[in-house]
Amino acid sequence: MSALTGEDAPPQAPRQHYLNVTYGVRSWLLTLDHKRIGLLYLASITVFFLLGGMFAVMIRAELVTPAGDLLQAETYNKMFTMHGLVMVFFFLIPSIPAALGNFLIPLMIGARDLAFPRLNLLSWYVFIVGGLFTLFAVVQGGVDTGWTFYTPYSSTYSNSAVAATAVGVFITGFSSVLTGLNFIVTIHKMRAPGLTWFRLPLFVWAHYATSLIMVLGTPVLTAAVVLVALEHLLGIGIFDPKLGGDPVLFQHLFWFYSHPAVYIMILPSMGVVSEVISCFSRKRIFGYKVIAFSSLAIAVLGFLVWGHHMFVSGQSVYAGMIFSFLSFFVAIPSAIKVFNWTATLYKGSISYDTPMMYAMGFIGLFTIGGLTGLFLASLAVDVHVHDTYFVVAHFHYIMVGGALMGYMAAIHFWWPKISGRMYPEGWGRFSALVIFIGFNLTFFPQFILGYLGMPRRYHAYPDEFQVLNVMSTAGATILGVGYLIPLIYLIWSMRYGPRAGSNPWKAKGLEWETTSPPPTENFLTTPLVTEEAYAYAAPDVEEQEGARVG
Amino acid sequence: MWEFPLFPEQASTIAGGVDSLYLFLVGLTAFFSVLIFTVIFVFAIIYRRRSDDERPEAIEGSHALEIFWSVVPFVIVMVIFTWGASLYFRNARSPDDAMEVNVVGKQWMWKIQHPEGRREINELHVPIGRPVRLTMTSEDVIHSFYVPAFRIKMDVLPGRYTTAWFEATKAGEFHLFCAEYCGTEHSKMGGKVVVLDPPAYERWVGGEEQGESLADLGARRFIELRCENCHYPGAGERGPSLAGLFGRIVPLEGGGTVEADESYFRESVLNPRAKVVAGFQPVMPTFQGQISEEQLLELIAYVRSLKAPQGEGR
C-alpha cells in the first residue's frame, strides 16, 4: 500500500511538524498557526457535539411514551431548545469551516497561513466566550424558547435564561464574521503562483460562498438580538404588540440570517463531497465550473427565501407566493450538484474507503432532504406540515444526513493529514454503515409522523403516534453508537494508527504534497501550480520526481 | 396499540386537493431518490477499482447534460409551484356565506365563541357541510391553530387578527393542536374539533344555557363602555355612526382609505388615532387595557350586526 512506486518501506513521519514543534498549553492557547487553531476548534466543537447529543438522547428518551412522563414539560422544552442551539450555533455552523476550513484552506491554496492569523486566534476566543455564556445559561437552569427565540415569548414571557443565551449567540456571531472575512481575504490574496480561480479545489469555492453568507448574514442576527435586548431593557416597542411592536418582524429578521445559515452548514459539506468523490473515483470532477457557480448561486438565493418559514405566520398571501416561487429556485443548483457528483462516478476507478462511504451517503440523504424541501416550499402542503415532524425530518436530512455526513467524510479523508496517522479502515466503514442505518431509522418515520399531523416541540402526544416514535428512538440509539465508534478509534489512532505518509489516498491537491503532519510553515518551498484541480488522469507528481518534501 | 396509521384522515373540502399534491410529491421524491441511489450503486459496482494503478480518463463535463438537468428540474418545480400556490390561493379566501366563529388563544387553552353566544374551551363544535370562518387572536404569545384532518393551520398572533376557514365533510372528532411553540404546556394546548351533522349541531347550539348571542353581548358592552355617547345611531358630530359600516371602504383623514374589517375596528378601539375617518377629529380615547380580546370580539360581532339605516346591507 505504499504511496511511492517501487518502495515498500512504511511511510515515516517528518522529523519536525506543526504538532511537535513546540509543546505545552501556552504553545496551543497562543498559537497563530491556522492548523493548531483548526484543532482548537475541532476539540471545542466535539465537546459541543457531545453536549448537543446528550440533549438529543433526553428528547428521544422522553418521546418513547406518549405521556410526558420521563421529564417535566419545562425540562423537555429546555432540552430541545439547547439541543438546537448547541448543535446549530456551536457545532454545525463552525464545524467544517472553522475546524477543517481553517486547517485546510491555506494548505489547499499553497499559503503559509490565513491572511490574518491573530484575527483567526481571536475568532476562536470569541467563539469560546460565546460558548461559555451559553453553557452558563445551561447551568443557570437552561433556556426554553426554542432555538428560534420567537417573540414575544422570548422577549416577554419566558422565565428561563434567555439573556445569557442571547448574549452567547450574539458573541459567537462575531467569531463567524471574523472567520468568514479571513477566508475571503485569504482566498483572494494568498493563492500560490499559478493557482487561478478555476484551478481552486471546490472545497475552497464552497468556503468562499460560505464566507460570503457569514459576513453578510450574521450581522442581521446580531441586530435582531440587540433589538430584543433594547425592547427588554428599555421598553422600546419593536416586537411586543403591547408596546406597538410587531412579533412577526422578529421572524423576518431571524430567518433572514437563519435560512442562509442552513447553507453555511451544508455548502462546506458539498465542498468536501466534491473532493472526496473525485479522489475515490480518481476522476476529474464532472462539470467543475457548474459546481463552483452553483455554490455561489445557493449563497445568493439563500438570502431571498426566508419568508418560506412564515407561510402561516399571517404574512400576506402574495408575499407567501413570491417566497414560494423563489424557494423553488434553490432546488436547481442543488439538483445540479447531485447530478454532477453522480456523473463523476461514471467510468471512474471507485474504491470504498470510509470517506467515500460517507460521501455516497451524503448524496443519497441530501437528495431525500432536498426533495422533501419541495414539499415545504409548496404553499398548500406547507400549511399542513409546517411546524410538524415533517419539518424536523427534512432539516435533519439536510443537517445530519447532509452536513454531518460531509463532516464525517472530511474528518476521515483529512485525518491522515491532520494527525499523520491512519484510522482503522474496517471500523471506519462499519461505523459509516451504522450511522447510515441509524440515521434513516431515526428520521424517516418522522416524515410520516409529520404528515399525520404530529406538531414539533411536543412533550406529550396522542397514542396513535407512538409506534413511529419508538422506531425513531430506536434509530437514534443506533445513531448514537455510530458516532461513538469513530470518536474512540480516532483518538486511539492518534497514538497507535499506522503512519500515513504524505498522500495515502493518492489524492490531488496541494495539501497532499506536503508532509503529514505538515510543517508549521506548510510548505518548505512555495508550490507552483501548473495544472487544474482534480487532474487525476495525469501521472502522480511523486511518481515523476519522488516526494517533494519530507 | 401496535396498529398505527400512515396517512391522516381527510375531513375537510380542501384535504383531498392537498393530499393529491402531497402524493405527487411523494412519487417524485421516490422516483428521483431511487434513480440517484440506483445510479450510484450501479456505478460503484461497475467501475469499482480493480487495480491500484488505474488512471481513468478525465471527462470534463457536458454542456448538453448540464442544460438538460437544469431545465428538467426547473420545469418540474414550476409545475409544483403553480399547483401549490393555486391551491393555497383558493384556500386563503373564505366563502361569503361562512359561519363566523371567534378563537382566542392563550397559554395554554383555546377559547371559542360562537355567534349564537355559546362558548367552548379546547373544543370546537361545527356542522358538516357549512363553511366556518375563524377570526383568531392571542392574549399573550404566538400560537397556531392546527387541525390535521382539515389540513389547515394558521398562526394566532397577539395584537392582530388572522383568519382561517374550513368546511368539514365528515362527522367525528378530530385533533386540534397548537402548532407554534408557546411555552411550558405547549403540547397540552389542544383539544378536539367535533363535527356534527346539521340536526345534531342545531341541537347542540340550541341546547343548554342558551344565553345572549355574541352581538347582544357586544351591544351591552357598547353601552357599558359608553361607546354610544359618540357612535349613536345616526351620529356624525363627534364620531361616525357605525350602522352598516362593517365591510365598507372608509375614507381617512389625511387621504387614503381602509376597509372597515375586524382588524380596523380592533385598531380603532385600541389605538383610535392611528386611522381617523375623514371629517372627524382624533378625540376618541384608547380602550387599551380596559377591554379583553373576547370582549373586543363581542363588540365587533355587534358592529357587524348593525344594519345600514336605509335598509341596505343584509
Side-chain angles (χ1 to χ4, degrees), chain A residues 460-477:
Chain A
Y461 56 84
D463 292 344
E464 70 259 32
F465 298 144
Q466 187 177 11
V467 175
L468 290 162
N469 270 298
V470 169
M471 284 166 72
S472 187
T473 299
T477 314

Side-chain angles (χ1 to χ4, degrees), chain A residues 77 144 282 287 311-312 314 340 346 349-350 352 375 383-384 386 451 457-458 464 466 506 536 540, chain B residues 1 8 19 22 29 44 47-49 52 54-55 60 66 88 146 153 155 160 175 178 181 184 186:
Chain A
N77 296 344
D144 75 339
R282 293 224 177 121
F311 289 157
V312 299
N340 278 293
Y346 177 67
S349 166
I350 298 169
Y352 314 129
F375 292 65
V383 168
H384 176 55
H386 176 82
Y451 203 74
R457 299 173 170 176
Y458 261 34
E464 70 259 32
Q466 187 177 11
K506 295 188 181 179
Y536 280 100
D540 283 343
Chain B
M1 184 186 87
D19 287 348
Y22 172 75
T29 302
Y47 304 117
R48 70 188 176 277
R49 188 169 300 167
D52 199 34
E54 279 182 347
R55 285 286 177 281
E60 281 242 342
E66 299 293 351
Y88 178 74
Y146 179 32
K153 179 183 294 123
D155 283 4
R160 57 174 286 196
H175 288 300
C178 174
Y181 175 67
T184 310
H186 168 56

Side-chain angles (χ1 to χ4, degrees), chain A residues 150-168:
Chain A
Y150 273 18
T151 55
Y153 183 71
S154 66
S155 58
T156 314
Y157 289 85
S158 172
N159 296 317
S160 59
V162 182
T165 317
V167 171

Side-chain angles (χ1 to χ4, degrees), chain A residues 89-248:
Chain A
F89 291 111
F90 298 97
F91 176 70
L92 283 167
I93 288 178
S95 62
I96 297 181
L100 297 162
N102 223 326
F103 192 98
L104 291 165
I105 287 174
L107 284 167
M108 285 181 161
I109 65 170
R112 200 200 135 114
D113 207 311
L114 287 174
F116 308 113
R118 282 188 175 75
L119 208 58
N120 195 20
L121 183 63
L122 175 66
S123 85
W124 180 71
Y125 276 105
V126 171
F127 172 74
I128 290 298
V129 171
L132 288 177
F133 263 100
T134 305
L135 290 180
F136 173 68
V138 174
V139 177
Q140 267 197 321
V143 62
D144 75 339
T145 59
W147 79 280
T148 46
F149 290 115
Y150 273 18
T151 55
Y153 183 71
S154 66
S155 58
T156 314
Y157 289 85
S158 172
N159 296 317
S160 59
V162 182
T165 317
V167 171
V169 170
F170 174 84
I171 294 173
T172 308
F174 287 95
S175 147
S176 257
V177 174
L178 294 180
T179 302
L181 193 70
N182 218 340
F183 285 176
I184 291 174
V185 175
T186 306
I187 295 168
H188 269 277
K189 304 301 287 183
M190 300 184 63
R191 284 171 284 130
L195 188 57
T196 58
W197 281 94
F198 290 117
R199 284 178 176 174
L200 281 176
L202 289 165
F203 182 87
V204 178
W205 270 103
H207 275 76
Y208 187 78
T210 307
S211 304
L212 288 178
I213 305 176
M214 285 174 160
V215 171
L216 296 174
T218 316
V220 179
L221 179 72
T222 311
V225 173
V226 171
L227 290 175
V228 171
L230 283 179
E231 180 172 275
H232 201 70
L233 299 172
L234 305 178
I236 300 171
I238 299 164
F239 305 122
D240 187 349
K242 289 210 175 74
L243 302 170
D246 180 358
V248 181

Side-chain angles (χ1 to χ4, degrees), chain A residues 23 47 52 94 96 199 217 228 294 303 322 337 346 409 449 461 474 506 546:
Chain A
Y23 290 97
V47 171
I96 297 181
R199 284 178 176 174
V228 171
S294 65
F303 280 109
I322 286 168
K337 279 180 188 281
Y346 177 67
L449 272 175
Y461 56 84
K506 295 188 181 179

